[in-house]
Amino acid sequence: MTHATLPFTRSARLTLSLGALALLAACGTTPVGPNYKVPDNALVQAPSAQAPFLSSATPRQLYSAEALPPRWWHLYDDPVLDRLVDQALAHNTDLRQAAANLERVQALQAEVDDSQRPHLSVNGGPGYGHVSGLSMLKPGTVPRTQGTYSAGLSLSYQIDATGQIRRAIEAAQASTDAAQAALEMARVHVVASTARAYAGVCASGLRLQTAETSVRLQQEALQITERLQGAGRVGVIDTARARGQLEQLQASLPTLKAQRQSELFQLATLMGTPPRDFPADVATCTTPPRVGSVLPVGDGAALLKRRPDVRQAERELAAATARIGVATADLYPKITLGLSAGTAGPLSDFGRKDTTSWSLGPLISWSIPDTGAVQARIDQAQASNRGALAHFDGAVLTALRETETALDAYARELDRRASLQAARDASATVAEQARRLYRGGKTGYLDALDAERALAASEAALAASQAQLADDQINLFLALGGGWEAAPERTASPASRIVAR
């Protein structure tokens, strides 16, 4: 009975055995370093962070627990605003920069992902010449000059025995998710800034309209005073007072016009166009956009899952956790399986067996670690992890604070506007009565002037309050963090699965 013998030498069989053992070891190894999960002590896990907003419990029904719609600006039912936002989302330079940064991070992730694949390299080339006589053990002779060639191929694959590559991939993926969240946050800011600039143009238009009305009424008052002076019923001092009040009212117009123009330039910039190309149809707006119905704000849990900056901070924490494993893996040796083959010799011997060579086996490389340096890198990674957790907690606190502040400010401004409206109505009644009395000669012009001044101040304050209400609503929508959900070609990230328990 004969037995077939594999054409392997003892060294070849040993090489294959070592490779198999290394491969089996790698398959059953748990990556070093901590596995990531949202820490139990993170503020996002606190029950108070998930509760309904304190400032939403107003005596009157201003807010609802319904989810904020993705395109919250549609709540205004304003086609002009919709058009401006769409153009800003398509051309805004901040969004383009954030998108380019995401592409860069994705390319970095692709580079890291490639480290888990086998790497093939090929080399070769022809030559002409001869070797030295001494190298052929023939002193005093010159070998024949001839054509030569060399060619080689090597295939290598690093076995991720310690999980360093896997941890690096985890960190790269988390960094990509963070860049995606940063792009979404940029979108939120662009939408809110566009809506705020549009509301600012309309608010400036309203305040300018109110001021121009006051100027027109004062011009009429001046004309009446001049006629009364001509009839000898009032003196020069009344006419001077009327003219002085007119000049004071007219002095407010340039400032309001400059403010409106500044908002138009800001709006053009947000839309990705030169300032001079601002939308002309918006320049005549005099009605600030405002949602008159109950505002959907949800609760803390929905806010923390929706705010892109909170997700970005959480993903940065995940990346920092994975980097601890990357640093820890430097304590252990690295194993690489390699296969190389080559051929070299004179061109005339091309193809002969004695010109070929090959090698197969694992390469174990271990720079005996300077444990102090490696431990220092681990300490750095752990410190970065603690810093990332603090940043994550800070993002949660900031999101909650901004929302509570915006809710309270909007409710307070509504109360203020109601008082200003009542004051304006009372001032209008007093001013009208003062005009009648002055025309009938039953009161002095000083009383009528005071009444007109009070009315102008009341109307200006009411217009400013209406502008502030529009701004407060936009601040609230910005704090709620909506508007990124409609981003084109958005890929779902693991961060979207954060659930504050």
Side-chain angles (χ1 to χ4, degrees), residues 106 113 325 337 464:
Q106 288 173 333
D113 290 342
L337 288 179

Side-chain angles (χ1 to χ4, degrees), residues 21 37 117 189 257 261 288 324 376 416 418:
L21 288 175
K37 71 183 185 80
R117 302 184 180 92
H189 279 284
K257 291 179 180 178
Q261 199 65 38
I324 296 176
R416 179 171 177 268

Side-chain angles (χ1 to χ4, degrees), residues 55-86:
S55 302
S56 64
T58 57
R60 49 206 168 108
Q61 187 66 18
L62 298 178
Y63 313 112
S64 72
E66 296 180 3
L68 183 71
R71 294 173 177 255
W72 54 262
W73 56 94
H74 287 180
L75 294 173
Y76 289 103
D77 195 20
D78 189 332
V80 176
L81 177 59
D82 296 342
R83 172 173 57 83
L84 296 176
V85 170
D86 288 344

Side-chain angles (χ1 to χ4, degrees), residues 308-323:
D309 56 336
V310 174
R311 271 201 327 281
Q312 180 183 1
E314 186 275 337
R315 290 288 82 200
E316 289 171 350
L317 174 60
T321 303
R323 292 190 186 103

